[in-house]
Amino acid sequence: MLTVFFCAALLLSTQAQTQTQTQDVKNVDVKSLPQSEITKAKRAMKDAGLSEEQAIQLARQRGATEQQIMEMRQRLSEQDTTQQDMFELYEEPEILPEEQKDTYLSQRKVELKKDLEVFGAYLFNNENLTFEPQVNIQTPKNYEIGIGDQLLIQVWGNSQNNYQLRVNNNGQIVIPDLGPVYVAGMSFDEAEKKIVKNLTAIYADMGGDNPGTFAQLDMGQLRSIRVNLLGEVVAPGTYTLPVTATVFNGLYLSGGPNEIGSFRNIKVIRNNKIEQVIDIYNLLVNADPSDNITLKDGDIVLVPPAEKQVVVNGEFKRNGIFEIKEGEMLNDLVRFSGGFNAGAYLGNTQIVRQTQKGQQIIDVPYDLLNTTPLVKGDTIQNNLTTDRFENRVSIEGAVYHPGEYEWTEGLTLAKLIEKADKLLPEAFKGRGLITRYNSDRTTSAIAFDVADISSGKQNILLQADDEVLIKTHFDLKEQPYITVNGEVLEPGPFNWSENMTLGDAIFLAGGLTEGADSTFIEIARRLSYDDAAVLSDTIGHVIIANISRGLQLGKNDAEMKLQPWDQVSVRTAPNFRQNETVMISGEVTYAGAYAITNKQMRISDLLQMAGGTTPKAYLQGATLERFSDELGTERVAINLQNILNNPRSDKDLLLKNSDRLNIPEFMQTVKITGSVQNPFSITFEPKRNAKYYINRTGGFQAQANKRKTYVQYPNGETAVTKGLIFRHYPNVTPGSIVVVPEKPEKERQQGLWLAIASTMSSMAVAIAAIMNASK
């Protein structure tokens, strides 16, 4: 192993001398090499991970002689015997992966709690505000170095070197080629000065006024400390923290004080003495973190029970449970709670206090808050102030700025109207009203003449809470309007204006439609006040007028002036019709849509216009569909064969808009459905009735209502079964549907009971016969 160290030393010394003196390896004087160079070579060899044979081979490739190798072995042997104990003191720090560095520290395991009532508890139960201990921080100059700390020493300049040293159990770091240096208990700043001073023994050019080599001290992996959190904390116990941890770090990991724990009397005990008393309210209320001292190994953080807790409830910015110290007054509690809300009644704050006999209420005026002490268990409450005004008057209605105004002694109605920026032009001058509150909160009405107040003939002295109302003349009468309906584009009611004519009303309604009859417009006018005062059968007047379709101004228009409440009705021209069409489809020569050009147009006329039917047309299956707003689309049963044989008869219906005539081709099947054994369609056979087709499907089911069997023909007509004892089933035509309905549930149950009764009766007869035979 000595050979390995020699080769490393020879390699390192050769590199160093080549950089400074550019001499050959063979010229290296091994005996004169400083001991520090040999120590560096040993460490470099270890870091390079070279085996013994690799190191020897590398040294020989560099040109080392056997004599040099022997001399190096002797130097190493001497160093190993004199400094063996020193190297045993030096412990190479273990370099942990970045993700594993903090795994040995205690982690918070307490779950976050919400809606905590105790003031300050949210500080340690907040997702956005945590006191996780920080380890990656800049080392403060006053940091106290202790056992287990790792120191990083970097040397640069004419000489370069890096040291990673850990403070051993003796409080020392062991610097290679120098020896132990005691640093435990020193501040970081003091330790740095001491270490640099000691390094000058190795690096001669590090001291003096013009140094060529420099050194800097940094902290590596910091030691951890163990502290005990006891008393009224959520999770008491022993916690491992970084050396930089503070009291708040420990409280955060333990969940902070519990429901009865003190926030204002937390003690840090160090070496069996109270080192610090912490009041968390200093941070919460005053933003003062000075109590939050750095912990030391073995510290005890004791959270005693809170001695005096009180409850705040009502119009305060913070409600909850607060802790009060001896000598603090009610005003201190108000400060802790953030002060009063804007609507709080400051004239009286109440204290609800428990006594031996029950509870008592103490009313505290605002000016006594700073002299009122509190006791344990007090509840402090404050209510909203009343919504009544002491000096308010209001004015509403026909003024430019209605609303509430300040009442002062001597305020008159005229001055209030002036404050409201005067009356509106449409103000009703005949009367106004003041509503005044009496001492028992009942009201009195005081009427006044608005015109006299405006002119100065009259004035009224107002009182607090008076409410003044001045209306417009529009408010005191029904707003006149007219109504236009019928053949106009935008029918509806419209405000009436003086000198409004019939043409103006039609203009407001969007003008006439194409179907309007402008020569026959009806104006319904109600009776005048004088006519309505006389009892008679007449309840209104009707005026017939005409107007130009283009609404041009003219004499006739100017003379036809409307009065309030007139109702204008524009009639439809007698022979006006919108374009109407009917549709014919199926087996006709020219299927499609056809216009109705005559009120007397019938089905036969439509068939003639369509070129008649084709040879495949099945006239008995022809159907007519008709649409109406009341019923929607419905099928009208027709007999097209009869219509063609007797055109323009009563059966030949008049056509209406949207009618649809369909003539199918000849049908060859009959469909059987309903309560039959096997419903399906069967080929039509002439001269057969419904019973024949039902039998073809396997007959009736047990629940079939045979008497209600009916046939629905293709044209929409229906034929039912007749007869009670001897049934006559209707005949069937091609395309018909034979329908067999089911019996109602009630009737089926009655039939079941009849069958049971019949069976029981038969059994009784049989039993009687057997008994007679046995006699």
Side-chain angles (χ1 to χ4, degrees), residues 416-438:
L416 178 60
I417 294 174
E418 187 176 351
K419 278 188 173 185
D421 207 6
K422 300 182 180 180
L423 298 172
L424 295 175
E426 61 269 26
F428 178 67
K429 300 295 182 66
R431 178 186 294 268
L433 191 65
I434 299 174
T435 301
R436 177 165 294 172
Y437 287 92
N438 303 320

PDB file of all heavy atoms in Angstrom, residues 416-438:
ATOM      1  N   LEU A 416     -85.461  73.021   1.997  1.00  0.00           N
ATOM      2  CA  LEU A 416     -85.274  71.622   1.613  1.00  0.00           C
ATOM      3  C   LEU A 416     -85.482  71.450   0.104  1.00  0.00           C
ATOM      4  O   LEU A 416     -84.721  70.725  -0.555  1.00  0.00           O
ATOM      5  CB  LEU A 416     -86.232  70.722   2.396  1.00  0.00           C
ATOM      6  CG  LEU A 416     -86.164  69.231   2.042  1.00  0.00           C
ATOM      7  CD1 LEU A 416     -84.762  68.676   2.306  1.00  0.00           C
ATOM      8  CD2 LEU A 416     -87.216  68.436   2.829  1.00  0.00           C
ATOM      9  N   ILE A 417     -86.515  72.121  -0.451  1.00  0.00           N
ATOM     10  CA  ILE A 417     -86.744  72.045  -1.900  1.00  0.00           C
ATOM     11  C   ILE A 417     -85.555  72.642  -2.641  1.00  0.00           C
ATOM     12  O   ILE A 417     -85.120  72.132  -3.681  1.00  0.00           O
ATOM     13  CB  ILE A 417     -88.055  72.758  -2.265  1.00  0.00           C
ATOM     14  CG1 ILE A 417     -89.251  71.996  -1.668  1.00  0.00           C
ATOM     15  CG2 ILE A 417     -88.204  72.897  -3.768  1.00  0.00           C
ATOM     16  CD1 ILE A 417     -90.584  72.688  -1.854  1.00  0.00           C
ATOM     17  N   GLU A 418     -84.982  73.703  -2.103  1.00  0.00           N
ATOM     18  CA  GLU A 418     -83.803  74.305  -2.727  1.00  0.00           C
ATOM     19  C   GLU A 418     -82.603  73.358  -2.650  1.00  0.00           C
ATOM     20  O   GLU A 418     -81.815  73.256  -3.597  1.00  0.00           O
ATOM     21  CB  GLU A 418     -83.489  75.632  -2.035  1.00  0.00           C
ATOM     22  CG  GLU A 418     -82.371  76.426  -2.710  1.00  0.00           C
ATOM     23  CD  GLU A 418     -82.153  77.780  -2.060  1.00  0.00           C
ATOM     24  OE1 GLU A 418     -82.986  78.163  -1.212  1.00  0.00           O
ATOM     25  OE2 GLU A 418     -81.169  78.436  -2.392  1.00  0.00           O
ATOM     26  N   LYS A 419     -82.453  72.640  -1.519  1.00  0.00           N
ATOM     27  CA  LYS A 419     -81.388  71.642  -1.414  1.00  0.00           C
ATOM     28  C   LYS A 419     -81.545  70.540  -2.456  1.00  0.00           C
ATOM     29  O   LYS A 419     -80.557  70.017  -2.971  1.00  0.00           O
ATOM     30  CB  LYS A 419     -81.396  71.004  -0.015  1.00  0.00           C
ATOM     31  CG  LYS A 419     -80.700  71.801   1.061  1.00  0.00           C
ATOM     32  CD  LYS A 419     -80.603  70.963   2.334  1.00  0.00           C
ATOM     33  CE  LYS A 419     -79.761  71.665   3.393  1.00  0.00           C
ATOM     34  NZ  LYS A 419     -79.565  70.806   4.587  1.00  0.00           N
ATOM     35  N   ALA A 420     -82.786  70.184  -2.763  1.00  0.00           N
ATOM     36  CA  ALA A 420     -83.067  69.132  -3.743  1.00  0.00           C
ATOM     37  C   ALA A 420     -83.027  69.659  -5.170  1.00  0.00           C
ATOM     38  O   ALA A 420     -83.490  68.984  -6.094  1.00  0.00           O
ATOM     39  CB  ALA A 420     -84.419  68.492  -3.459  1.00  0.00           C
ATOM     40  N   ASP A 421     -82.476  70.852  -5.375  1.00  0.00           N
ATOM     41  CA  ASP A 421     -82.281  71.450  -6.708  1.00  0.00           C
ATOM     42  C   ASP A 421     -83.597  71.841  -7.373  1.00  0.00           C
ATOM     43  O   ASP A 421     -83.761  71.704  -8.586  1.00  0.00           O
ATOM     44  CB  ASP A 421     -81.500  70.505  -7.611  1.00  0.00           C
ATOM     45  CG  ASP A 421     -80.718  71.260  -8.678  1.00  0.00           C
ATOM     46  OD1 ASP A 421     -80.704  72.507  -8.625  1.00  0.00           O
ATOM     47  OD2 ASP A 421     -80.155  70.611  -9.564  1.00  0.00           O
ATOM     48  N   LYS A 422     -84.566  72.264  -6.593  1.00  0.00           N
ATOM     49  CA  LYS A 422     -85.826  72.856  -7.065  1.00  0.00           C
ATOM     50  C   LYS A 422     -86.779  71.821  -7.653  1.00  0.00           C
ATOM     51  O   LYS A 422     -86.452  70.648  -7.813  1.00  0.00           O
ATOM     52  CB  LYS A 422     -85.560  73.972  -8.078  1.00  0.00           C
ATOM     53  CG  LYS A 422     -84.719  75.104  -7.493  1.00  0.00           C
ATOM     54  CD  LYS A 422     -84.511  76.222  -8.505  1.00  0.00           C
ATOM     55  CE  LYS A 422     -83.663  77.342  -7.903  1.00  0.00           C
ATOM     56  NZ  LYS A 422     -83.448  78.442  -8.852  1.00  0.00           N
ATOM     57  N   LEU A 423     -87.988  72.358  -7.975  1.00  0.00           N
ATOM     58  CA  LEU A 423     -89.063  71.501  -8.476  1.00  0.00           C
ATOM     59  C   LEU A 423     -88.876  71.189  -9.953  1.00  0.00           C
ATOM     60  O   LEU A 423     -88.301  71.967 -10.714  1.00  0.00           O
ATOM     61  CB  LEU A 423     -90.413  72.182  -8.272  1.00  0.00           C
ATOM     62  CG  LEU A 423     -90.842  72.489  -6.837  1.00  0.00           C
ATOM     63  CD1 LEU A 423     -92.112  73.334  -6.837  1.00  0.00           C
ATOM     64  CD2 LEU A 423     -91.062  71.200  -6.052  1.00  0.00           C
ATOM     65  N   LEU A 424     -89.401  70.027 -10.373  1.00  0.00           N
ATOM     66  CA  LEU A 424     -89.451  69.690 -11.794  1.00  0.00           C
ATOM     67  C   LEU A 424     -90.571  70.494 -12.456  1.00  0.00           C
ATOM     68  O   LEU A 424     -91.549  70.879 -11.804  1.00  0.00           O
ATOM     69  CB  LEU A 424     -89.722  68.193 -11.970  1.00  0.00           C
ATOM     70  CG  LEU A 424     -88.632  67.230 -11.468  1.00  0.00           C
ATOM     71  CD1 LEU A 424     -89.123  65.786 -11.603  1.00  0.00           C
ATOM     72  CD2 LEU A 424     -87.345  67.434 -12.254  1.00  0.00           C
ATOM     73  N   PRO A 425     -90.457  70.736 -13.764  1.00  0.00           N
ATOM     74  CA  PRO A 425     -91.522  71.493 -14.461  1.00  0.00           C
ATOM     75  C   PRO A 425     -92.880  70.809 -14.370  1.00  0.00           C
ATOM     76  O   PRO A 425     -93.917  71.484 -14.368  1.00  0.00           O
ATOM     77  CB  PRO A 425     -91.017  71.557 -15.906  1.00  0.00           C
ATOM     78  CG  PRO A 425     -89.541  71.378 -15.800  1.00  0.00           C
ATOM     79  CD  PRO A 425     -89.312  70.467 -14.642  1.00  0.00           C
ATOM     80  N   GLU A 426     -92.892  69.468 -14.310  1.00  0.00           N
ATOM     81  CA  GLU A 426     -94.169  68.757 -14.283  1.00  0.00           C
ATOM     82  C   GLU A 426     -94.714  68.577 -12.873  1.00  0.00           C
ATOM     83  O   GLU A 426     -95.671  67.805 -12.660  1.00  0.00           O
ATOM     84  CB  GLU A 426     -94.020  67.372 -14.940  1.00  0.00           C
ATOM     85  CG  GLU A 426     -93.019  66.449 -14.265  1.00  0.00           C
ATOM     86  CD  GLU A 426     -91.624  66.571 -14.842  1.00  0.00           C
ATOM     87  OE1 GLU A 426     -91.289  67.652 -15.396  1.00  0.00           O
ATOM     88  OE2 GLU A 426     -90.871  65.589 -14.739  1.00  0.00           O
ATOM     89  N   ALA A 427     -94.141  69.268 -11.888  1.00  0.00           N
ATOM     90  CA  ALA A 427     -94.613  69.140 -10.508  1.00  0.00           C
ATOM     91  C   ALA A 427     -96.052  69.609 -10.386  1.00  0.00           C
ATOM     92  O   ALA A 427     -96.463  70.627 -10.959  1.00  0.00           O
ATOM     93  CB  ALA A 427     -93.704  69.940  -9.571  1.00  0.00           C
ATOM     94  N   PHE A 428     -96.845  68.833  -9.633  1.00  0.00           N
ATOM     95  CA  PHE A 428     -98.236  69.206  -9.359  1.00  0.00           C
ATOM     96  C   PHE A 428     -98.227  70.288  -8.287  1.00  0.00           C
ATOM     97  O   PHE A 428     -97.729  70.089  -7.179  1.00  0.00           O
ATOM     98  CB  PHE A 428     -99.021  67.984  -8.887  1.00  0.00           C
ATOM     99  CG  PHE A 428    -100.439  68.275  -8.536  1.00  0.00           C
ATOM    100  CD1 PHE A 428    -101.351  68.649  -9.519  1.00  0.00           C
ATOM    101  CD2 PHE A 428    -100.879  68.182  -7.219  1.00  0.00           C
ATOM    102  CE1 PHE A 428    -102.665  68.923  -9.190  1.00  0.00           C
ATOM    103  CE2 PHE A 428    -102.201  68.456  -6.890  1.00  0.00           C
ATOM    104  CZ  PHE A 428    -103.085  68.824  -7.888  1.00  0.00           C
ATOM    105  N   LYS A 429     -98.768  71.429  -8.632  1.00  0.00           N
ATOM    106  CA  LYS A 429     -98.661  72.602  -7.754  1.00  0.00           C
ATOM    107  C   LYS A 429     -99.809  72.712  -6.750  1.00  0.00           C
ATOM    108  O   LYS A 429     -99.750  73.539  -5.851  1.00  0.00           O
ATOM    109  CB  LYS A 429     -98.640  73.888  -8.600  1.00  0.00           C
ATOM    110  CG  LYS A 429     -97.484  73.968  -9.588  1.00  0.00           C
ATOM    111  CD  LYS A 429     -96.153  74.045  -8.889  1.00  0.00           C
ATOM    112  CE  LYS A 429     -95.003  74.167  -9.873  1.00  0.00           C
ATOM    113  NZ  LYS A 429     -95.011  75.414 -10.625  1.00  0.00           N
ATOM    114  N   GLY A 430    -100.819  71.864  -6.899  1.00  0.00           N
ATOM    115  CA  GLY A 430    -101.998  72.048  -6.050  1.00  0.00           C
ATOM    116  C   GLY A 430    -101.829  71.540  -4.637  1.00  0.00           C
ATOM    117  O   GLY A 430    -102.411  72.093  -3.699  1.00  0.00           O
ATOM    118  N   ARG A 431    -100.993  70.461  -4.439  1.00  0.00           N
ATOM    119  CA  ARG A 431    -100.926  69.864  -3.113  1.00  0.00           C
ATOM    120  C   ARG A 431     -99.622  69.091  -2.958  1.00  0.00           C
ATOM    121  O   ARG A 431     -99.119  68.470  -3.881  1.00  0.00           O
ATOM    122  CB  ARG A 431    -102.113  68.921  -2.891  1.00  0.00           C
ATOM    123  CG  ARG A 431    -102.112  68.210  -1.544  1.00  0.00           C
ATOM    124  CD  ARG A 431    -103.253  67.194  -1.478  1.00  0.00           C
ATOM    125  NE  ARG A 431    -104.536  67.865  -1.512  1.00  0.00           N
ATOM    126  CZ  ARG A 431    -105.244  68.252  -0.455  1.00  0.00           C
ATOM    127  NH1 ARG A 431    -104.755  68.014   0.764  1.00  0.00           N
ATOM    128  NH2 ARG A 431    -106.390  68.849  -0.573  1.00  0.00           N
ATOM    129  N   GLY A 432     -99.076  69.129  -1.754  1.00  0.00           N
ATOM    130  CA  GLY A 432     -97.977  68.270  -1.340  1.00  0.00           C
ATOM    131  C   GLY A 432     -98.277  67.740   0.040  1.00  0.00           C
ATOM    132  O   GLY A 432     -99.244  68.172   0.691  1.00  0.00           O
ATOM    133  N   LEU A 433     -97.441  66.805   0.514  1.00  0.00           N
ATOM    134  CA  LEU A 433     -97.771  66.167   1.787  1.00  0.00           C
ATOM    135  C   LEU A 433     -96.492  65.932   2.588  1.00  0.00           C
ATOM    136  O   LEU A 433     -95.477  65.449   2.057  1.00  0.00           O
ATOM    137  CB  LEU A 433     -98.488  64.833   1.548  1.00  0.00           C
ATOM    138  CG  LEU A 433     -99.120  64.175   2.769  1.00  0.00           C
ATOM    139  CD1 LEU A 433    -100.260  65.038   3.301  1.00  0.00           C
ATOM    140  CD2 LEU A 433     -99.626  62.776   2.419  1.00  0.00           C
ATOM    141  N   ILE A 434     -96.554  66.268   3.891  1.00  0.00           N
ATOM    142  CA  ILE A 434     -95.474  65.983   4.835  1.00  0.00           C
ATOM    143  C   ILE A 434     -95.979  64.914   5.800  1.00  0.00           C
ATOM    144  O   ILE A 434     -97.038  65.065   6.410  1.00  0.00           O
ATOM    145  CB  ILE A 434     -95.059  67.238   5.629  1.00  0.00           C
ATOM    146  CG1 ILE A 434     -94.544  68.329   4.688  1.00  0.00           C
ATOM    147  CG2 ILE A 434     -93.995  66.880   6.669  1.00  0.00           C
ATOM    148  CD1 ILE A 434     -94.267  69.643   5.397  1.00  0.00           C
ATOM    149  N   THR A 435     -95.202  63.807   5.906  1.00  0.00           N
ATOM    150  CA  THR A 435     -95.505  62.765   6.899  1.00  0.00           C
ATOM    151  C   THR A 435     -94.569  62.976   8.077  1.00  0.00           C
ATOM    152  O   THR A 435     -93.346  62.923   7.931  1.00  0.00           O
ATOM    153  CB  THR A 435     -95.310  61.365   6.311  1.00  0.00           C
ATOM    154  OG1 THR A 435     -96.176  61.206   5.174  1.00  0.00           O
ATOM    155  CG2 THR A 435     -95.630  60.294   7.336  1.00  0.00           C
ATOM    156  N   ARG A 436     -95.167  63.221   9.256  1.00  0.00           N
ATOM    157  CA  ARG A 436     -94.368  63.550  10.442  1.00  0.00           C
ATOM    158  C   ARG A 436     -94.591  62.493  11.516  1.00  0.00           C
ATOM    159  O   ARG A 436     -95.726  62.061  11.773  1.00  0.00           O
ATOM    160  CB  ARG A 436     -94.753  64.926  10.972  1.00  0.00           C
ATOM    161  CG  ARG A 436     -94.028  65.353  12.251  1.00  0.00           C
ATOM    162  CD  ARG A 436     -94.193  66.840  12.477  1.00  0.00           C
ATOM    163  NE  ARG A 436     -93.502  67.611  11.428  1.00  0.00           N
ATOM    164  CZ  ARG A 436     -93.600  68.932  11.281  1.00  0.00           C
ATOM    165  NH1 ARG A 436     -94.389  69.627  12.103  1.00  0.00           N
ATOM    166  NH2 ARG A 436     -92.951  69.557  10.324  1.00  0.00           N
ATOM    167  N   TYR A 437     -93.476  62.068  12.154  1.00  0.00           N
ATOM    168  CA  TYR A 437     -93.548  61.065  13.215  1.00  0.00           C
ATOM    169  C   TYR A 437     -93.820  61.740  14.547  1.00  0.00           C
ATOM    170  O   TYR A 437     -93.146  62.695  14.922  1.00  0.00           O
ATOM    171  CB  TYR A 437     -92.248  60.274  13.291  1.00  0.00           C
ATOM    172  CG  TYR A 437     -92.081  59.301  12.137  1.00  0.00           C
ATOM    173  CD1 TYR A 437     -91.416  59.684  10.973  1.00  0.00           C
ATOM    174  CD2 TYR A 437     -92.597  58.017  12.223  1.00  0.00           C
ATOM    175  CE1 TYR A 437     -91.279  58.811   9.922  1.00  0.00           C
ATOM    176  CE2 TYR A 437     -92.457  57.133  11.165  1.00  0.00           C
ATOM    177  CZ  TYR A 437     -91.792  57.536  10.015  1.00  0.00           C
ATOM    178  OH  TYR A 437     -91.671  56.659   8.984  1.00  0.00           O
ATOM    179  N   ASN A 438     -94.804  61.188  15.238  1.00  0.00           N
ATOM    180  CA  ASN A 438     -95.107  61.652  16.579  1.00  0.00           C
ATOM    181  C   ASN A 438     -94.164  60.993  17.580  1.00  0.00           C
ATOM    182  O   ASN A 438     -93.353  60.118  17.231  1.00  0.00           O
ATOM    183  CB  ASN A 438     -96.565  61.350  16.931  1.00  0.00           C
ATOM    184  CG  ASN A 438     -97.522  61.985  15.928  1.00  0.00           C
ATOM    185  OD1 ASN A 438     -97.299  63.115  15.486  1.00  0.00           O
ATOM    186  ND2 ASN A 438     -98.570  61.254  15.558  1.00  0.00           N
TER     187      ASN A 438
END
